[in-house]
Amino acid sequence: EGRVHLEFSDLALVKAKLAAFRDVQVLEEHFGATGADLVVRIAEGEVTSVLRLVSDLTSGRSVVRVE
């Protein structure tokens, strides 16, 4: 699993791109004043791609923490 905080301005794009991965699933979304915290299931073979994608799409503002 991974966790990531996304600003509202990045949320729709990142979720759409994550949905394109067959082995990635958003398990939880929690909304706050500054954005959303996502809990994401990531297949082992997709971790590097997902980390890079989120960082690139958010210009480094968001980073996936893998647990």
Side-chain angles (χ1 to χ4, degrees):
E1 282 186 5
R3 296 181 182 272
V4 62
H5 177 80
L6 297 166
E7 296 177 8
F8 286 119
S9 60
D10 298 320
L11 183 60
L13 178 61
V14 171
K15 283 182 63 180
K17 295 293 186 177
L18 290 176
F21 285 89
R22 198 173 108 193
D23 295 326
V24 175
Q25 179 182 14
V26 176
L27 301 175
E28 297 177 32
E29 291 180 77
H30 303 279
F31 298 95
T34 61
D37 294 310
L38 304 183
V39 177
V40 185
R41 179 176 293 137
I42 308 168
E44 191 173 314
E46 300 287 3
V47 171
T48 301
S49 297
V50 169
L51 294 176
R52 186 177 313 117
L53 175 79
V54 170
S55 181
D56 289 350
L57 290 176
T58 65
S59 299
R61 290 184 300 277
S62 296
V63 177
V64 178
R65 295 182 323 270
V66 179
E67 301 173 350

